[in-house]
Amino acid sequence: MPLWTYVTARWQALLMDSYLHASAVVQATVLAALIGVGLGVAVYRSPLGSAVATALTSAILTIPSFALLGLLIPVLGLGVPPTMVALVLYALLPIVRNTVVGLNGVDRSVVDAARGIGMSRLRVLTGVELRLAWPAILAGMRVSTQLLMGIAAIAAYVKGPGLGNLIFSGLSRVGSVNAVELALVGTVGVIVIALLLDGAYVLVGRLTTSRGIRD
Amino acid sequence: MTDQAVDIQLENVTKRYSNTKQPAVRDFSMDIRAGEIVVFVGPSGCGKTTTMKMINRLIEPSSGTITIGGQDALSLDPDELRRRIGYAIQQAGLFPHLTVGQNIGMVPGLLGWPKPRIHARVEEMLDLVGMDPAEFRDRFPRQLSGGQQQRVGVARALAADPPVLLMDEPFGAVDPITRGNLQDELLSLQSELHKTIVFVTHDFDEAVKLGDRIAVLGPQSSILQFDTPEAILAAPADDTVAGFVGAGASLKQLTLLRVRDIELDEAETATIDEQPSVVRDRLVARNRKYALVLDSRRRPKRWVHLRDLNDGPLDTVGRPVNDLVTKQSTVQDALEAILTEGGSVPVVGTRGEYVGAVGIDTVMDTVRKLREEHENG
Ligand SMILES: Nc1ncnc2c1ncn2[C@@H]1O[C@H](COP(=O)(O)OP(=O)(O)O)[C@@H](O)[C@H]1O
Ligand SMILES: [Mg+2]
């Protein structure tokens, strides 16, 4: 069975590609979360600001990933930099939107009580509002991560890291030996990592969400 | 401000929201004495909440001065000011992600109390509002009933022992029976704590029951009448107040009489782990039919009839006590409780412990006396 032989022979390289793929996606999601939550916090009180932030970040999402990556080459060159920038940009929308929705969903009476008993504005934000919006923010990060799994594969086009390299080299040699198998291994790898990361999200959610607001 | 009760003065306070032409509160002046409960009562939208929130500066006045315990409230840091003023609102506004203990310990934490002192204080506050610390301190708000949430809300407001307490329709969202109990508890607390309390409601009966003085408010928080409940019931200042007071004003006099004003009966009591046969012998010896079973903290739990006392341990026989009154409850409340409980209703102290009972005969005597006084006077 040639596919199986290929996988066992290249086991190490495959693991390395998988690791790089997952690592790029996770790092991009975390960076996007820092930026996206900051943006969400800045705009959530103003309906206009929220609308603008959501519109801008969703505009990014409509740019085809090939085009965005290609446009970044002249600015950032090849490899990791354009890959990370593109991934962070694509991850922003779900996180910004969920941060805004989550913060606006916090019961006004809870915020009123928090201010009324003497918590400072910053403390209400970090100790109450963000804590209560956290499940929504995390759900946004989860969607972003899933979204990035596929986009990260395309990043091989700018010589980015990850399983995309396997898929691309397979597809570019269609007709020759093992070409389809190569692409298939890359694709299956992406799916497996996506499932593993999704499982990790469930775990992180349980560990970081208060029992008082978990369902 | 010290922990002694303090007085509050509002002078010519006006609030104009930026997007409205008419001020929400116009030229409001009032002296609130140390240790009294002043109730703001008036129709929805008349400016009660706005007026109250200017006292702790959740809303900044457009003009006027507010003095609390001799200090100009507008010159203090708002967050510091609020930590010295208890605040309890409708729906309690508890932090859903924090436990009951963490909710109550929040203000002491903000004030930098050491951990052991906060821990002890949380225990004390839960006790004060009649909730068992062991059972409730680690629960989350969603694991409590509406009435229990309100109790925790009051405990949180009182945790740092503030001299002033602001309460904005705190019992508005609970069922009538629970509301009556919470009102009773607030009055028993107040008889121990002597806070200066500003209480907002749109329910005139609640105002009569709780207020040392009632401010009946009209549009833009104009003061239509500011006096004791008795005076307002007896002589409403104008037709608007009269309309608000309602047609049954003379009947409401009944609600002015408290359980503490009438003589309590002694129920025959038993503790929950007593042998039924011992209790039976005691009932027979004293020629009584019912015993009131108390738990280990002397809280009334069940009524048992003589004939139930063969059927098993005391915590399984008879019927549970469903309604209680305190010495601060009105005789009206006691009468209603007796009508649902049958015969007699237990009276409890601030920590839910048994202190006596009110029987139907006592209430009927009181009603008779009141009627005679009314006819003669
Ligand atoms: N933040 C606000 N902005 C503009 N108007 C407000 C605001 N809050 C309250 N109002 C208005 O001020 C008036 C008084 O409101 P409020 O004090 O909440 O009344 P109450 O507590 O007696 O129901 C109402 O007409 C209300 O619509
Ligand atoms: Mg109001």
Side-chain angles (χ1 to χ4, degrees):
Chain A
M1 196 193 224
L3 177 61
W4 183 244
T5 325
Y6 176 83
V7 169
T8 44
R10 304 278 307 274
W11 187 237
Q12 295 279 326
L14 204 60
L15 267 187
M16 190 41 127
D17 274 342
S18 305
Y19 167 76
L20 290 176
H21 198 99
S23 154
V25 168
V26 168
Q27 289 186 46
T29 309
V30 169
L31 250 166
L34 291 176
I35 299 168
V37 170
L39 206 60
V41 165
V43 300
Y44 81 101
R45 283 180 174 276
S46 134
L48 181 67
S50 305
V52 170
T54 311
L56 277 180
T57 48
S58 61
I60 298 173
L61 213 49
T62 63
I63 309 174
S65 42
F66 257 116
L68 182 60
L69 286 164
L71 288 171
L72 286 172
I73 296 175
V75 191
L76 298 167
L78 292 174
V80 173
T83 307
M84 285 309 279
V85 169
L87 292 185
V88 169
L89 286 176
Y90 281 122
L92 279 178
L93 172 67
I95 295 173
V96 169
R97 197 185 44 205
N98 277 31
T99 303
V100 169
V101 169
L103 287 173
N104 280 320
V106 174
D107 187 349
R108 284 297 99 191
S109 73
V110 173
V111 176
D112 183 46
R115 296 290 286 145
I117 65 173
M119 291 172 84
S120 66
R121 193 69 208 90
L122 184 67
R123 198 147 185 157
V124 175
L125 181 68
T126 56
V128 179
E129 294 178 280
L130 282 173
R131 293 283 301 276
L132 295 178
W134 176 241
I137 295 171
L138 199 64
M141 290 172 64
R142 190 170 170 180
V143 172
S144 292
T145 300
Q146 298 298 331
L147 189 70
L148 295 194
M149 288 308 300
I151 295 176
I154 315 267
Y157 166 62
V158 291
K159 304 274 175 274
L163 290 166
N165 292 305
L166 242 59
I167 302 173
F168 268 71
S169 54
L171 292 181
S172 64
R173 293 192 280 130
V174 171
S176 60
V177 189
N178 278 344
V180 175
E181 282 82 352
L182 217 54
L184 206 61
V185 169
T187 310
V188 170
V190 168
I191 294 171
V192 169
I193 298 172
L195 291 175
L196 287 177
L197 285 181
D198 216 41
Y201 268 103
V202 175
L203 197 69
V204 169
R206 287 201 75 79
L207 292 177
T208 57
T209 309
S210 153
R211 266 196 306 126
I213 53 171
R214 219 188 282 155
D215 20 61
Chain B
M1 256 183 272
T2 66
D3 285 348
Q4 292 288 305
V6 297
D7 52 357
I8 302 171
Q9 281 106 33
L10 295 103
E11 274 172 71
N12 309 108
V13 173
T14 294
K15 176 64 192 183
R16 207 178 288 277
Y17 287 111
S18 54
N19 51 354
T20 54
K21 251 178 42 209
Q22 296 285 325
V25 174
R26 186 205 294 271
D27 206 20
F28 185 96
S29 296
M30 178 177 282
D31 281 357
I32 297 168
R33 299 178 198 130
E36 75 172 337
I37 302 182
V38 165
V39 180
F40 293 173
V41 62
S44 178
C46 73
K48 306 180 292 294
T49 296
T50 304
T51 308
M52 162 177 284
K53 281 185 169 176
M54 287 192 283
I55 296 175
N56 68 358
R57 292 180 60 193
L58 278 177
I59 294 174
E60 295 285 353
S62 309
S63 63
T65 57
I66 297 172
T67 317
I68 303 176
Q71 269 185 303
D72 175 9
L74 300 177
S75 70
L76 303 172
D77 174 69
D79 291 332
E80 303 273 330
L81 174 75
R82 289 184 203 124
R83 287 171 204 171
R84 302 249 152 248
I85 298 179
Y87 185 60
I89 56 174
Q90 191 169 358
Q91 270 108 32
L94 298 180
F95 305 127
H97 60 302
L98 301 182
T99 62
V100 165
Q102 290 167 327
N103 266 282
I104 297 175
M106 181 57 80
V107 186
L110 293 173
L111 292 171
W113 291 18
K115 284 244 162 59
R117 183 167 168 218
I118 296 178
H119 190 92
R121 185 65 178 168
V122 167
E123 200 121 313
E124 192 185 341
M125 294 320 294
L126 278 171
D127 244 349
L128 189 70
V129 295
M131 292 170 75
D132 181 1
E135 186 180 349
F136 289 104
R137 95 173 288 147
D138 294 323
R139 287 214 199 164
F140 287 96
R142 69 169 176 192
Q143 298 166 315
L144 304 177
S145 70
Q148 289 166 340
Q149 292 187 15
Q150 291 300 342
R151 286 194 180 91
V152 174
V154 171
R156 179 176 67 180
L158 289 172
D161 203 18
V164 176
L165 188 54
L166 304 182
M167 308 183 84
D168 192 351
E169 310 206 22
F171 310 143
V174 294
D175 65 88
I177 291 181
T178 309
R179 187 182 314 145
N181 293 340
L182 290 168
Q183 291 163 347
D184 293 346
E185 286 164 21
L186 178 66
L187 287 169
S188 355
L189 285 182
Q190 173 67 352
S191 66
E192 278 185 33
L193 303 177
H194 309 291
K195 304 289 180 192
T196 307
I197 299 179
V198 180
F199 190 105
V200 163
T201 181
H202 58 258
D203 174 2
F204 192 76
D205 291 336
E206 183 167 63
V208 168
K209 182 166 174 186
L210 296 179
D212 293 314
R213 289 196 291 168
I214 298 175
V216 185
L217 303 183
Q220 298 177 320
S221 217
S222 54
I223 302 174
L224 303 179
Q225 190 168 11
F226 183 35
D227 213 327
T228 61
E230 290 82 355
I232 294 179
L233 285 171
D238 59 26
D239 288 349
T240 317
V241 178
F244 207 69
V245 167
S250 59
L251 256 182
K252 286 200 179 93
Q253 298 273 11
L254 241 188
T255 67
L256 287 171
L257 203 62
R258 309 277 170 177
V259 169
R260 64 168 179 254
D261 303 327
I262 62 176
E263 205 168 321
L264 296 188
D265 303 334
E266 275 298 327
E268 197 57 45
T269 60
T271 41
I272 207 142
D273 45 9
E274 261 185 292
Q275 286 298 323
S277 57
V278 176
V279 179
R280 190 178 53 223
D281 293 347
R282 202 161 63 229
L283 283 177
V284 170
R286 307 215 176 132
N287 196 18
R288 306 281 288 254
K289 286 206 171 59
Y290 280 98
L292 180 61
V293 179
L294 310 179
D295 69 7
S296 55
R297 296 162 56 146
R298 293 194 57 74
R299 294 177 299 195
K301 286 292 150 185
R302 306 184 80 79
W303 286 108
V304 292
H305 189 270
L306 192 51
R307 66 170 176 270
D308 300 327
L309 286 168
N310 302 311
D311 302 344
L314 289 186
D315 55 354
T316 59
V317 297
R319 62 191 162 78
V321 169
N322 288 318
D323 212 347
L324 298 165
V325 294
T326 69
K327 289 195 167 188
Q328 277 71 33
S329 303
T330 63
V331 176
Q332 176 90 359
D333 293 335
L335 179 60
E336 276 166 25
I338 291 168
L339 294 179
T340 55
E341 281 276 286
S344 170
V345 61
V347 182
V348 294
T350 42
R351 283 167 187 79
E353 79 284 6
Y354 167 82
V355 295
V358 180
I360 185 74
D361 295 341
T362 316
V363 175
M364 292 326 285
D365 279 350
T366 311
V367 171
R368 208 168 300 125
K369 257 183 255 161
L370 266 182
R371 198 176 295 145
E372 280 163 17
E373 273 170 32
H374 192 73
E375 278 160 11
N376 299 338

